[in-house]
Amino acid sequence: MKNRDEIAQALAASGYIADADLATAISLMQMLRRPLLLEGEAGVGKTEVAKALAKVHATELIRLQCYEGLDQSSALYEWNYQRQLLAIQAHRGTDSIEDQVFSEKYLLERPLLAAIRRPKAPVLLIDEIDRADDEFEAFLLELLSDFQVSIPELGTIPAVTIPHVVLTSNGTRELSDALRRRCLYHYVDYPDVDRETRIILARVAGASPSLSLQIARMVEGVRKEELRKVPGVAETLDWAAALVGLDVRDLHDAPETVHETLVCLLKTHEDRARVTPEVTQRLLGKVA
């Protein structure tokens, strides 16, 4: 699976509808064996790309969720201190015990180490890298450049296989030039009406083509309002599932239900107050 069309078809079969640019980026990622940095607003489907890739390759998804204060021990490895202490107590007085307790037997893999030691290349998702500190970002550079890590007690550990690496960023912090140089890049935007229609059809059982198109057009209109939190694809799918569950077959036949179920899209008090029944009716009037 190398060319863009094959990748797009494989992703679609796994439930992810990719546009041509994303399929091209993934094609190059696989050909060049480079990490892929996906940037975009929260909720546009960046994390789902990694999940779909794992399905396409029938391999494990290893996820590292980034957060402020994430350190090397949480991401790479830790020593099993409890087992080490028990071993030291059991072999008290043995000269070689220190070497023994700092061995593979007592090593706890965390996501980054696990990803490079799998016999079959996994998909490594480094999610929301912009939430981590600059120091952690710098620590990643060795892994992303050489696919090896250094453990003082064991030395340098090279990768058994090169994982398929996907990094995501919501753009809350500017990433370093050094990190960006090591990655291919794609900006994931909100889908257009056609692609969001296809996403709904692929992911929501019971959604007809006509209803899916109406939902996509309505969501497009909602996103153009001045909202604090613009609804993402996940919210669209929740709303579509709710409408199907309420047996809505045409949005124009159930305007009250449409407005009441916008709680699936609007996630703040300000946004809910802003989209009044009159606004809903105005947006609905633009939906063919």
Side-chain angles (χ1 to χ4, degrees):
M1 185 186 64
K2 292 183 179 181
N3 69 54
R4 182 183 71 185
D5 293 338
E6 289 175 339
I7 288 170
Q9 290 171 7
L11 290 172
S14 74
Y16 190 93
I17 308 301
D19 61 21
D21 289 342
L22 176 57
T24 298
I26 293 173
S27 174
L28 294 173
M29 165 199 180
Q30 295 182 156
M31 181 176 67
L32 300 175
R33 306 180 84 182
R34 295 281 295 279
L36 175 62
L37 171 60
L38 300 176
E39 204 161 35
E41 297 293 330
V44 293
K46 302 183 296 296
T47 299
E48 294 299 317
V49 173
K51 294 179 180 179
L53 272 178
K55 291 181 181 178
V56 166
H57 290 288
T59 192
E60 181 182 3
L61 173 67
I62 298 177
R63 180 175 183 172
L64 174 64
Q65 178 62 53
C66 298
Y67 54 86
E68 186 176 352
L70 176 64
D71 58 14
Q72 181 173 332
S73 63
S74 300
L76 184 56
Y77 74 96
E78 288 183 282
W79 292 108
N80 190 329
Y81 297 117
Q82 186 175 10
R83 288 193 64 192
Q84 286 177 320
L85 181 58
L86 290 173
I88 291 170
Q89 291 173 341
H91 298 85
R92 194 179 302 275
T94 304
D95 293 338
S96 62
I97 187 59
E98 183 176 345
D99 294 334
Q100 293 178 24
V101 296
F102 288 106
S103 63
E104 285 276 352
K105 182 179 178 181
Y106 300 95
L107 189 67
L108 298 175
E109 289 183 342
R110 296 302 181 227
L112 297 182
L113 182 59
I116 66 170
R117 302 216 301 176
R118 292 293 191 263
K120 180 177 181 179
V123 172
L124 171 61
L125 169 61
I126 303 175
D127 213 7
E128 298 183 310
I129 181 59
D130 53 319
R131 293 184 180 275
D133 303 322
D134 293 343
E135 292 79 6
F136 181 77
E137 186 182 318
F139 157 70
L140 276 179
L141 298 182
E142 179 187 12
L143 177 73
L144 298 182
S145 295
D146 304 320
F147 287 100
Q148 63 182 28
V149 295
S150 300
I151 298 178
E153 298 86 354
L154 298 178
T156 299
I157 298 179
V160 175
T161 55
I162 304 299
H164 310 277
V165 183
V166 175
L167 300 94
T168 73
S169 170
N170 296 334
T172 61
R173 173 179 68 82
E174 182 58 40
L175 303 177
S176 70
D177 291 342
L179 180 66
R180 290 183 181 276
R181 281 198 303 270
R182 286 161 174 78
C183 302
L184 302 180
Y185 177 83
H186 178 71
Y187 186 85
V188 183
D189 207 344
Y190 293 104
D192 59 22
V193 168
D194 176 66
R195 189 157 70 93
E196 196 148 27
T197 299
R198 290 188 289 133
I199 290 170
I200 296 167
L201 286 169
R203 300 291 292 272
V204 181
S208 68
S210 59
L211 178 63
S212 299
L213 178 58
Q214 286 186 332
I215 291 170
R217 285 175 172 165
M218 185 71 178
V219 172
E220 181 187 46
V222 170
R223 287 184 182 137
K224 291 179 180 178
E225 297 296 307
E226 295 182 3
L227 301 177
R228 179 179 170 186
K229 184 184 183 304
V230 177
V233 176
E235 283 79 18
T236 299
L237 295 175
D238 284 344
W239 190 43
L243 292 170
V244 170
L246 293 170
D247 202 29
V248 174
R249 300 181 182 181
D250 188 300
L251 297 188
H252 297 288
D253 294 338
E256 290 185 7
T257 301
V258 168
H259 180 71
E260 291 168 356
T261 54
L262 287 181
V263 294
C264 296
L265 296 181
L266 306 173
K267 298 299 181 70
T268 72
H269 175 68
E270 296 93 325
D271 291 346
R272 193 72 181 98
R274 186 172 287 113
V275 182
T276 62
E278 291 74 23
V279 172
T280 299
Q281 192 62 45
R282 169 172 59 81
L283 295 175
L284 194 54
K286 298 179 181 179
V287 173

